């Protein structure tokens, strides 16, 4: 059976689309784009991947990770942080310098991922991925 639709975007609610689009552009590459006069909606075409869109939401409240009783995480993004722990450590330092906040750095060798919050509070993971 053919698919109903093609995947186009992940859309992230946030208080400041430009700031969050710039953060993710620094993490994954690409250049945020806005239609003329549209600063409450930006799109980041990710090189080699889907696009990430950012929409301004008034009164935005970030999720609290790992609390599921209030504003559950709703979603999170996983990023390939490298095949070695040295690459993961370098990625860790870079996302912190960009404004990410650590949420869970425990047992990384066992889990092979670390959890962070982006500047708007959305959780995301840097994952250690063995490359073929």
């Amino acid at each position: 059976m053919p698919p109903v639709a093609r995947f186009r975007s992940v859309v992230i609610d946030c208080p400041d689309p430009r700031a969050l689009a710039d953060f993710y552009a620094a993490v994954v590459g690409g250049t945020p784009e806005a239609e003329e006069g549209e600063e409450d909606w930006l799109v980041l075409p990710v090189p080699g991947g889907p696009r990430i869109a950012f929409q301004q939401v008034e009164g935005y409240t970030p999720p609290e990770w790992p609390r599921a009783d209030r504003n559950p995480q709703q979603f999170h993004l996983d990023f390939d942080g490298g095949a070695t722990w040295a690459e993961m450590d370098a990625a860790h330092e870079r996302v912190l310098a960009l404004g990410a906040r650590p949420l869970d750095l425990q047992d990384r060798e066992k889990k092979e991922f670390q959890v962070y919050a982006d500047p708007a509070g959305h959780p995301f993971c840097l994952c250690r991925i063995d490359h073929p």
Side-chain angles (χ1 to χ4, degrees):
M1 177 179 291
V4 173
R6 291 187 317 261
F7 180 69
R8 182 165 187 219
S9 303
V10 171
V11 180
I12 301 176
D13 292 348
C14 59
D16 184 346
R18 173 59 63 189
L20 200 57
D22 288 344
F23 170 83
Y24 280 106
V27 172
V28 299
T31 302
E33 302 169 353
E35 291 186 24
E36 192 170 326
E38 290 286 329
E39 285 301 312
D40 60 347
W41 173 271
L42 284 104
V43 174
L44 175 63
V46 176
R51 40 187 243 164
I52 305 173
F54 305 89
Q55 68 180 354
Q56 184 174 20
V57 172
E58 296 300 324
Y60 170 77
T61 302
E64 288 187 30
W65 189 91
R67 286 184 59 185
D69 61 329
R70 184 185 155 278
N71 283 336
Q73 70 173 328
Q74 300 157 6
F75 77 97
H76 74 270
L77 301 173
D78 284 345
F79 296 105
D80 180 344
T84 67
W85 289 114
E87 291 172 314
M88 285 286 289
D89 290 343
H92 166 84
E93 293 302 324
R94 290 185 67 197
V95 298
L96 293 181
L98 292 168
R101 179 173 44 89
L103 294 178
D104 182 0
L105 305 180
Q106 303 299 315
D107 301 322
R108 74 179 194 166
E109 286 82 6
K110 182 178 175 184
K111 297 185 296 186
E112 298 199 350
F113 65 88
Q114 294 176 292
V115 185
Y116 302 83
D118 68 24
H122 304 101
F124 71 92
C125 296
L126 289 177
C127 305
R128 192 181 75 77
I129 307 294
D130 287 325
H131 300 126

